[in-house]
Amino acid sequence: MTTEFRASVVTLDAGSDDSGSLTTELYRRIEGRLAYPTDLLDIPGLLQGAILRSEHAHARLLRVDTTRARRMPGVHAVVTADDVPGVNRFGIVVRDQPVFCVDRVRYEGDAIAAVAADTRAQAQAALAAIEVEYEPLPLVSDAMTAEQQPPLHESSNLLAQERFDCGDVDKAFAACHVVIEQEYRTPRQMHAFMETEGGVAIPDGTGGIVFRVGCQSGHRDVGQLADILDLAPSRVTVEAMATGGAFGGKDELTIQPAAGILALKAGRPVMIQLGRFESCRAGMKRHPVVAKMKTGCDANGRLLAHKVDAVLDTGAYASLGPAVLENYLDHATAPLYRIHAYSVSGRLVYTNNGVSGAFRGFGGNQATFAIESQLDALARALGRCPRELRRINLRTVDEPGSRHQPVRWTVAPVDLLRQAQQSPLWTLQKETSGRWLTGTGMALGAQGNGLGDGLPDSGGGRIALTPGGRIRVEFGFADYGQNVGEAITRAVSKGLGCGCGEIDVVLGHSRGPDSGPTSASRSSVLVHGVLRRMLPLWKAAVRQQAAVLTGYSLDHLAHGPGGIFHLGQRVLSYRELAENGRLEELVADAAQDFPVAPGQEKPVGRYLQLQIATVARVAVDRLTGRVRVTDLHHITAAGRVIYPPGYLGQIEGAAVMGLGMTLTEDMPMHEARMQRNNLDQYLIPTFQDAPAQRVDVLDDTPGNDPFPVRGVGELGIEAVAPAITSAIEAATGVRVHKLPVDPGVLLKGIHRQENLA
């Protein structure tokens, strides 16, 4: 039986939300009144903390003398590895990163000591007084040869390797009419948050400690911090506060261990915020990838064989590198396309090149850049239209995924392609002479929700009535701009028939329900599922007490604005219920596991698949080789849209981040040292660089779909790079295989093409 999708198409714009209401939280965010962790300067007794970083990318640590620093004016605490109360290690997947280095430093951002003083200037002066003696060690700076170099940790520099296989790939290649082999390189990208890593650690007066920080999983942080500080988890509280961006870069611990140790040592609150220079040097980066791809098809363009060998540079410590490797390889199997046989393998290696970890796209967009470029190259070799080659290879909604797992699509992939083919960007006039060369290109991408294969992935929430009669909804997620607070408010408002102003949403508190990390575009899916379980429980409990208090039949009571109604008339306000009822019984909790592909012997993640087609229009300067992206048109299929402005913002914002990765953003290394230390050198796109964008939504989600809502935080970045490089090729005849695009290299390619003409 073939499933037929009849997708409706909606174009989103800034006016797509017609609800006419904004929550108090959203007003505060728009007006700039939402507190960041490092705005908390009025805490009594607050000290300023600072971290001493290594001067070397790799060296033996011979001596750390803090004697002078401890005597400096205003200094209240100086700590080193000897002062770590518990385990001197942290890391989400592998606890291989020291809080403070003991005998060796492995990258130039490694922490050696920390200071707490009355002022930031005094803290910096004390750091300068700490004497450190190093013995430089040979550098491991090339990921491609890292496995042959002396190990940075106990064993090999090979941290992880994985492969996915399907069929006899050698036999399949032998049957190919055309085979394309190419190497692709993607950059070490920086998150470039509006607010750098920071927060405050506050002793609670009873031996415990409270962290108010920028982080993406307060509950997970509690587990690591409790071990580091040698405290029971119940003595550690984390409040994940809204910050100016995260994008994966605050998934790992940042300043929390140093701030916590200083606060316990000094007995006073300690704030640490990394300056931009320090954030550039020590902060998390996107994994640079070198991938060799070989892809073949028959004379009709049917994909027969595909082989990938990728190397990911995780830097000095693991962080979430093993999970990024798995997601990269999952995308490298080309989940949108039907391939007869493939062999996809990857290695994750240690180097002295900083630390790489979670980053929006999580390895998927690096793989998609190469996959979509391969398809364009095959089409060119066959003399076929790239869009037609894609059409004949796209999976249907009834086929299993690329790893033989069941997949839940929201629309048929071919419908997405059809809409992309109708984009008005294809009709714009092409300039083939003069200074500016213009062209249009496109790429497809698929992105799954959830943490992935076999990783624990569940989340819960809570709803209660406060003593003041407010509806309080709690989730452990932090809201970093994905509008999860707004989505919760709207869903509860709809479910209870009340106004948004009656609801208080509390997010990111480790003493509340554990919802798991704010990552992998998972929060929207879990919020919808948990609320679907939780709201009926709470409504039943409220109506039960209302029946006792009012004397009306339970069957004739209903929720509405401000309270409980009987036959259309409000008979009990929520305030009256709070004052006269039993509040301890008006609490409902619910949780669920994130949905994974059913019926698999080994869990296979990304069961919920999202799709995007990005059409790009570029203008290339023949004098300089500079590329200007003038238009991006995204056609998305990601389930039901709950909050249109939020959906639009996520797609457009992710696309601009992908624009930076494609054209300007890179953190080059020289002898394992970062070559950019500020945003005047590391160039992120500004409003001046942002193209005109259009976002279309394909959605035919049935009302009884168990997973109607998907998370789109990463979807917008998925296909941007290959769409832009496809458009560059359309304009110039030059295909780019290394990102970011080098204007000089592109210019040489343009001149070469013109000389051949």
Side-chain angles (χ1 to χ4, degrees):
M1 178 179 177
T2 301
T3 302
E4 183 179 1
F5 283 105
R6 297 184 182 276
S8 58
V9 183
V10 177
T11 300
L12 296 185
D13 57 39
S16 294
D17 180 31
D18 59 0
S19 67
S21 64
L22 291 173
T23 64
T24 302
E25 174 87 355
L26 194 55
Y27 271 120
R28 292 173 62 212
R29 193 180 292 272
I30 291 169
E31 295 170 358
R33 294 187 291 112
L34 202 65
Y36 288 8
T38 48
D39 288 336
L40 305 176
L41 300 175
D42 57 351
I43 299 173
L46 181 67
L47 300 175
Q48 295 293 325
I51 299 171
L52 180 66
R53 305 283 180 180
S54 171
E55 296 177 9
H56 295 267
H58 193 203
R60 189 166 286 112
L61 199 57
L62 302 179
R63 183 176 66 93
V64 179
D65 188 344
T66 62
T67 305
R68 288 177 54 217
R70 295 176 190 277
R71 298 171 180 167
M72 298 284 285
V75 171
H76 293 264
V78 180
V79 295
T80 65
D82 293 337
D83 299 287
V84 178
V87 178
N88 188 22
R89 285 286 186 275
F90 66 92
I92 297 174
V93 178
V94 182
R95 293 196 180 184
D96 61 355
Q97 185 163 357
V99 176
F100 298 116
C101 294
V102 177
D103 56 0
R104 179 151 64 151
V105 294
R106 295 177 175 86
Y107 82 108
E108 63 172 340
D110 251 336
I112 296 174
V115 172
D118 289 327
T119 68
R120 187 169 295 181
Q122 289 172 329
Q124 292 295 334
L127 289 187
I130 297 174
E131 299 176 12
V132 183
E133 186 177 346
Y134 303 91
E135 179 187 326
L137 295 171
L139 296 172
V140 180
S141 57
D142 182 3
M144 303 302 291
T145 62
E147 294 171 65
Q148 287 75 54
Q149 302 303 314
L152 299 180
H153 294 271
E154 292 182 1
S155 54
S156 165
N157 286 327
L158 178 63
L159 171 59
Q161 61 181 338
E162 194 167 355
R163 67 182 301 131
F164 300 139
D165 291 291
C166 173
D168 188 334
V169 72
D170 292 330
K171 184 177 179 181
F173 272 119
C176 289
H177 179 72
V178 172
V179 175
I180 297 295
E181 293 188 67
Q182 185 62 54
E183 180 180 277
Y184 297 91
R185 291 178 179 257
T186 54
R188 178 179 288 101
Q189 192 178 11
M190 189 168 71
H191 295 86
F193 331 101
M194 183 183 299
E195 183 189 44
T196 55
E197 301 89 336
V200 59
I202 309 169
D204 65 7
T206 64
I209 192 163
V210 176
F211 292 88
R212 293 176 181 160
V213 293
C215 76
Q216 294 180 237
S217 180
H219 290 81
R220 186 168 63 195
D221 286 4
V222 163
Q224 295 199 68
L225 290 168
D227 289 344
I228 292 168
L229 301 175
D230 196 25
L231 295 173
S234 61
R235 309 301 295 277
V236 180
T237 301
V238 174
E239 299 175 16
M241 300 183 66
T243 69
F247 320 115
K250 295 170 184 173
D251 220 347
E252 189 66 86
L253 293 178
T254 58
I255 57 87
Q256 298 96 314
I261 295 168
L262 285 169
L264 292 179
K265 187 85 169 180
R268 289 171 60 175
V270 174
M271 174 179 288
I272 298 179
Q273 181 176 18
L274 305 191
R276 185 65 67 183
F277 288 7
E278 189 176 4
S279 181
C280 289
R281 179 182 175 193
M284 201 71 65
K285 308 294 186 297
R286 184 187 294 282
H287 284 84
V289 182
V290 178
K292 296 179 180 179
M293 284 198 179
K294 179 180 178 182
T295 311
C297 64
D298 64 17
N300 295 317
R302 305 279 179 182
L303 296 175
L304 299 181
H306 181 54
K307 189 172 184 179
V308 179
D309 182 17
V311 176
L312 282 69
D313 182 353
T314 206
Y317 304 108
S319 186
L320 276 165
V324 174
L325 171 66
E326 184 272 326
N327 195 39
Y328 178 93
L329 296 180
D330 183 86
H331 282 73
T333 63
L336 278 171
Y337 303 103
R338 190 185 308 106
I339 303 178
H340 181 71
Y342 64 70
S343 177
V344 174
S345 65
R347 290 165 289 148
L348 182 76
V349 297
Y350 285 122
T351 69
N352 295 120
N353 298 325
V355 183
S356 297
F359 203 118
R360 196 175 203 165
F362 211 71
N365 54 315
Q366 293 105 303
T368 298
F369 165 63
I371 292 290
E372 292 292 297
S373 298
Q374 288 286 91
L375 294 180
D376 283 349
L378 285 171
R380 183 171 59 252
L382 286 170
R384 300 281 297 269
C385 171
R387 301 187 289 283
E388 176 61 19
L389 184 136
R390 285 172 170 80
R391 186 192 65 78
I392 65 174
N393 289 291
L394 283 171
R395 294 181 183 275
T396 68
V397 294
D398 297 301
E399 290 183 73
S402 61
R403 294 164 61 194
H404 312 293
Q405 83 280 21
V407 175
R408 293 189 71 94
W409 304 98
T410 56
V411 301
V414 71
D415 286 348
L416 201 77
L417 177 63
R418 188 177 300 116
Q419 290 298 321
Q421 289 175 311
Q422 297 172 10
S423 171
L425 297 184
W426 297 110
T427 65
L428 298 177
Q429 182 177 354
K430 181 177 179 180
E431 298 293 337
T432 58
S433 61
R435 177 172 177 177
W436 292 96
L437 305 175
T438 62
T440 302
M442 67 150 287
L444 300 180
Q447 179 67 257
N449 287 167
L451 295 179
D453 294 4
L455 295 175
D457 195 355
S458 62
R462 177 175 302 141
I463 184 170
L465 192 66
T466 72
R470 304 278 299 168
I471 300 165
R472 178 184 174 96
V473 187
E474 296 179 75
F475 280 88
F477 304 115
D479 194 333
Y480 291 104
Q482 72 270 39
N483 299 285
V484 66
E486 185 72 15
I488 293 168
T489 300
R490 287 166 177 259
V492 173
S493 172
K494 182 178 179 180
L496 298 180
C498 66
C500 291
E502 301 175 51
I503 302 164
D504 296 327
V505 176
V506 179
L507 301 173
H509 200 296
S510 67
R511 294 295 177 91
D514 186 355
S515 303
T518 306
S519 57
S521 299
R522 60 191 292 282
S523 56
S524 296
V525 177
L526 285 172
V527 162
H528 181 270
V530 169
L531 286 177
R532 189 174 57 183
R533 290 165 169 78
M534 192 164 65
L535 283 176
L537 298 175
W538 192 75
K539 290 170 71 174
V542 169
R543 288 170 56 242
Q544 183 70 45
Q545 287 203 27
V548 173
L549 292 173
T550 64
Y552 291 116
S553 168
L554 181 68
D555 295 336
H556 295 103
L557 294 177
H559 289 260
I564 304 301
F565 286 67
H566 179 262
L567 301 179
Q569 298 293 319
R570 194 173 78 182
V571 295
L572 187 69
S573 71
Y574 284 127
R575 177 178 288 275
E576 291 169 333
L577 179 59
E579 292 172 349
N580 298 288
R582 296 185 299 277
L583 284 176
E584 69 277 6
E585 297 179 9
L586 298 179
V587 179
D589 291 84
Q592 73 165 62
D593 292 329
F594 198 92
V596 296
Q600 303 299 293
E601 185 175 327
K602 178 184 176 183
V604 179
R606 300 170 195 93
Y607 167 54
L608 305 182
Q609 281 284 353
L610 295 72
Q611 302 169 68
I612 191 167
T614 295
V615 184
R617 175 79 172 175
V618 305
V620 182
D621 188 346
R622 289 181 63 251
L623 297 183
T624 66
R626 296 287 177 185
V627 177
R628 180 164 53 89
V629 179
T630 60
D631 300 89
L632 289 175
H633 181 189
H634 312 282
I635 301 93
T636 66
R640 192 172 300 154
V641 177
I642 300 300
Y643 180 47
Y647 189 105
L648 184 67
Q650 287 291 292
I651 298 296
E652 291 184 341
V656 171
M657 189 170 280
L659 175 71
M661 172 181 157
T662 308
L663 297 184
T664 60
E665 293 187 48
D666 187 20
M667 182 61 79
M669 308 296 297
H670 178 66
E671 296 183 348
R673 290 185 179 274
M674 307 280 179
Q675 298 300 294
R676 307 281 186 265
N677 65 10
N678 205 349
L679 298 182
D680 61 346
Q681 303 167 1
Y682 183 91
L683 302 179
I684 63 174
T686 67
F687 277 117
Q688 187 69 26
D689 304 302
Q693 297 197 61
R694 170 176 164 178
V695 177
D696 289 349
V697 177
L698 275 66
D699 178 26
D700 66 343
T701 309
N704 61 352
D705 191 306
F707 311 109
V709 177
R710 313 287 170 93
V712 297
E714 295 170 297
L715 184 62
I717 200 173
E718 183 71 21
V720 170
I724 293 173
T725 52
S726 175
I728 291 171
E729 183 178 26
T732 67
V734 178
R735 189 69 187 208
V736 175
H737 303 110
K738 179 183 178 183
L739 301 181
V741 176
D742 185 320
V745 172
L746 180 57
L747 192 60
K748 291 179 181 178
I750 293 171
H751 290 165
R752 187 164 52 248
Q753 289 290 326
E754 292 175 344
N755 290 332
L756 292 174

